[in-house]
Amino acid sequence: MNKAQRVKAVMERKEADFVPAGFWFHYKPDFTVEEMIEEHLKLYRETDMDVIKIMQDYAYPVTGEIHCAEDWYHIGIKGTDSREMEKMTAVIRGIKERAGEEVLIFQTMFGPFKAASIAFGDDVLMKYSKEAPEAVMAGIKNLADGLEAWAKAYLDAGADGIYYSAQFGEEGRFSKEEWEQLVRPFDLQILQVAEQRKDKYNILHICGEPEYAFQTHVDWFYDYPTDLANWSVKDNEYRLEEGREHFSCAILGGLNNKGNILHGPKEEIRKEVQAVLDSFGTEGIMIGADCTIQGEGIRLDYIREAVKAAHTYKKGEECS
């Protein structure tokens, strides 16, 4: 199996030749297109991981300003003919051209609520979500329409799927009824783009924010259309095995993104991977982390060690 075939087997919850793995982190937002391409390929090549998740930390070009509730009706996002989109699709095409067809490439997308939060501030977004939900919903719909077009453009440029960061389901932020009205419909609007295309895939990352201790309602996302589901095990105390019982898809994750994968030593990384697979098994899982690897001094040799541990895993074998 090549890397693409291996990950597809996992997404179909079949036994692969060995367990695949993938990890990622943020990149400098001032990188040029060429720098962004090279940094992603460096991570891929030096760690031997099985998927490329494009983490372009370029800001979404949200338009408009918020000074009152009425302003939400007039916000938007630049179109797929914008320079910002041209830059992002150039990164996809460059990585695809050099990596070839043997690996699946996923473009990271943040939902329209997160786009609004970044543009106008989380406090502003939450204030109006409570005080003027209809106005906020209209603005979020404008952003979702734009991001739906962006998702299509990413796939057209050569991405094999969307890695969707689903936020705003954190504990204490919204009631489930509020979330179902304000957030869920627009997440689904973006996710349906890949779902409706042949040989295109979704990875769902259920993300929490630090203001909410990274804790989120994992159960709210059970029926989201996705081929791999990922969440923070450590922050939510929600085991991979629990997720397997409820999600109708394969599972991505297992490692603490701020633990051994960041600090080492390699022996502990191998032990952590071994423990995950001893507990979960090898079918329908890709080893990854709770979230992006976050912290100073990220080492590619540590990431490679985790990938190697997944690739060479044998149940019950002592790590050495």
Side-chain angles (χ1 to χ4, degrees):
M1 284 183 166
N2 63 26
K3 295 175 185 294
Q5 292 167 336
R6 185 171 303 122
V7 173
K8 287 179 183 179
V10 167
M11 292 192 294
E12 294 169 1
R13 288 182 288 178
K14 298 177 180 177
E15 194 81 29
D17 54 350
F18 51 73
V19 177
F23 300 88
W24 27 85
F25 45 80
H26 292 278
Y27 296 92
K28 294 179 180 178
D30 59 354
F31 272 170
T32 66
V33 167
E34 185 60 28
E35 287 171 331
M36 194 68 80
I37 292 169
E38 285 301 322
E39 286 299 314
H40 280 82
L41 290 174
K42 178 181 179 181
L43 173 63
Y44 169 62
R45 289 167 176 162
E46 293 191 15
T47 65
D48 194 34
M49 62 185 188
D50 297 280
V51 68
I52 298 177
K53 187 192 83 101
I54 302 177
M55 187 73 180
Q56 300 190 38
D57 285 309
Y58 301 137
Y60 282 172
V62 173
T63 60
E65 297 181 357
I66 302 297
H67 302 288
C68 64
E70 180 67 24
D71 290 338
W72 285 98
Y73 291 94
H74 307 293
I75 67 168
I77 189 167
K78 292 183 182 179
T80 55
D81 58 349
S82 63
R83 290 200 302 177
E84 289 85 354
M85 172 55 74
E86 181 181 353
K87 190 175 184 180
M88 291 185 176
T89 52
V91 171
I92 295 172
R93 288 192 295 271
I95 292 173
K96 188 75 172 180
E97 180 180 343
R98 300 180 205 184
E101 297 295 330
E102 76 156 19
V103 61
L104 298 180
I105 296 172
F106 289 82
Q107 170 66 43
T108 302
M109 288 194 74
F110 296 96
F113 249 87
K114 183 62 176 178
S117 175
I118 294 170
F120 309 120
D122 192 72
D123 290 345
V124 170
L125 176 57
M126 290 304 298
K127 165 185 163 64
Y128 285 105
S129 293
K130 300 295 185 178
E131 296 178 1
E134 290 186 3
V136 170
M137 194 171 1
I140 296 299
K141 180 66 167 68
N142 291 344
L143 296 180
D145 289 345
L147 289 173
E148 179 182 358
W150 280 43
K152 293 175 181 177
Y154 289 144
L155 299 182
D156 290 343
D160 296 290
I162 300 298
Y163 179 101
Y164 189 80
S165 181
Q167 294 162 287
F168 289 82
E170 293 94 338
E171 295 180 8
R173 189 188 282 277
F174 290 121
S175 69
K176 189 174 184 183
E177 183 179 3
E178 290 171 325
W179 175 83
E180 288 178 337
Q181 179 183 33
L182 287 171
V183 181
R184 174 185 165 91
F186 307 110
D187 285 344
L188 297 181
Q189 183 176 343
I190 310 303
L191 288 164
Q192 59 85 29
V193 173
E195 182 193 23
Q196 293 178 0
R197 289 204 189 187
K198 184 180 179 181
D199 297 326
K200 300 294 183 182
Y201 307 94
N202 283 318
I203 297 177
L204 175 68
H205 171 55
I206 304 166
C207 193
E209 293 282 9
E211 299 92 331
Y212 295 85
F214 300 103
Q215 294 174 357
T216 190
H217 293 279
V218 176
D219 57 305
W220 289 1
F221 299 89
Y222 285 159
D223 63 349
Y224 270 37
T226 187
D227 300 283
L228 282 164
N230 170 250
W231 62 89
S232 177
V233 173
K234 71 177 185 304
D235 293 310
N236 293 281
E237 298 183 357
Y238 189 93
R239 297 166 56 246
L240 300 183
E241 291 81 3
E242 292 179 75
R244 177 171 56 188
E245 295 299 315
H246 296 285
F247 286 97
S248 59
C249 64
I251 304 299
L252 164 65
L255 302 196
N256 181 342
N257 62 309
K258 299 177 182 178
N260 298 322
I261 193 71
L262 180 62
H263 303 294
K266 292 181 179 180
E267 179 183 355
E268 293 304 316
I269 294 171
R270 292 195 298 272
K271 287 180 178 179
E272 190 175 1
V273 173
Q274 180 88 22
V276 170
L277 295 176
D278 280 349
S279 176
F280 190 95
T282 58
E283 189 174 304
I285 185 170
M286 183 163 83
I287 288 291
D290 286 335
C291 191
T292 55
I293 301 175
Q294 299 174 27
E296 297 296 325
I298 295 171
R299 289 178 48 171
L300 297 192
D301 61 322
Y302 285 172
I303 296 175
R304 182 178 178 85
E305 193 67 28
V307 173
K308 180 180 177 182
H311 287 179
T312 59
Y313 168 79
K314 293 181 181 178
K315 186 173 178 61
E317 187 174 89
E318 291 282 332
C319 293
S320 59

